[in-house]
Amino acid sequence: MIRPSPELLAISRRLHQAILTGNTEILPGFFSVGEEMRFIGTAENEYWNGSVVSEGVADFFSEVPDILAAEEIQSEAFENGETGWASFVYRVHFSGLPKPSLQRETYVFVLDGARWKIVQRHGSAPVPNAVHMGTEQTAIQRLVDAARDEGPELEQTEGLASILFTDLEASTELAAALGDARWSSLINDHFRDIADIVEAQGGQFVKSLGDGTLSSFPSAQQALKAAVEMQKAVVSRNQDPQLGLRIGIHTGEVVQNRGDFFGAVVNKAARITTMASAGQILVSDVTCTMAGDARDMTFSEPVSVFFKGFEGKHLLHRLEWKP
C-alpha cells in the first residue's frame, strides 16, 4: 500500500543538510553501490550508473559552489513495501550569482537490509520549455488544474478540524552531538511512531517539518488521545538520549490547497507548540472545550498568553498524562 513516508523525507533532508554544510564525506552512505544505481544531473554529460556513483558522489557535490541560502519550497515522499521515492523543490542562492534559482531533486529508494538506499537520483534546474524547445507544454498542467478543481488530495479539505503539531526540544544540539548516522536513525523511528499513532487514532499525517510534524484530526478527542500516545511512545522507547517531545493542538476552520492545510488554526497551533516544554501537551481553550467531558483526560488551570500575529490574550491548557 502506498503511503506518505516521513522516514524518507527525513533521510532526504539529512542528505541535503550534508550538502549545504559541506559535509560531503558522509554522502556515499546514502547511495546504493550496485550496478543498478543511476545518477542524473542537469548538464549534458551528467548521466552515470553503477558503483562509480557511490565512489564519486562526495567529489561531485564538493564541487558545488558555496550556498548562501537555501529554502525548501515543496517536498513529499512515499513508500510502498521495500521501495520509496521523494521529490523536492528548493530555492538556492549560490555564491557568485546575483539571485537565487530553483533546484529540483527526485530520489528512488530501496530497502537494503534494514536501511534505505538511493538507487536513482535526478537533479535539475528548471528552464522554460519556450527556451529549451521553442514551445510550451501545458497538457499535464491542464490535467493537474482540472483534478484540483474536481477534488483535492487530502481527506478533509475544509471545515472544523483539530490541528496537532509536534516539535523536538533542542534537536539541533542533539543532532550535532549524536552525529548524522545515529540522529537519522533516531528521527526516522520517531517519525514512523508519530505517523502510525495518527493513523490509529483516525487522523491524517499531513507532513513533517524539519524535526516536527503536522497532523489533522476530525475531532478534538482524537487529537488529544493521539498526543498522549505520542508522549507515551517517546517514553516507552527508553532510549538514551530520550527525545523531548512537545505538542500543541488547536481546533478551528481549515482550508486545503495543493495538498496542504492553511488558515489561522494552523498558525495558532504552531504558536502553541512553541510555548510547550519537553514532555508537555498544550491545547487551546477551544480544543479543551470541544473535548467536553472526555474520559481519562485532565487539564491544568488555563494560563493567558500573547501570540505574535494574533490579537488579544489566549488561554492555554496543559493536558495531563502519565507514562
Side-chain angles (χ1 to χ4, degrees), residues 235-247:
V235 174
S236 66
R237 278 196 174 270
N238 195 28
Q239 58 195 7
D240 184 25
Q242 184 167 303
L243 297 177
L245 180 64
R246 48 190 186 183
I247 300 175

Side-chain angles (χ1 to χ4, degrees), residues 160-162 220-221 224 249-253 265 268 272 283-292 299 314-317:
L160 195 66
S162 289
Q221 289 193 20
L224 294 168
I249 306 173
H250 179 46
T251 303
E253 293 287 329
V265 60
K268 188 170 180 179
I272 292 172
V283 306
S284 68
D285 195 50
V286 174
T287 300
C288 185
T289 301
M290 294 291 291
F299 298 91
H314 302 264
L315 295 179
L316 295 184
H317 302 256

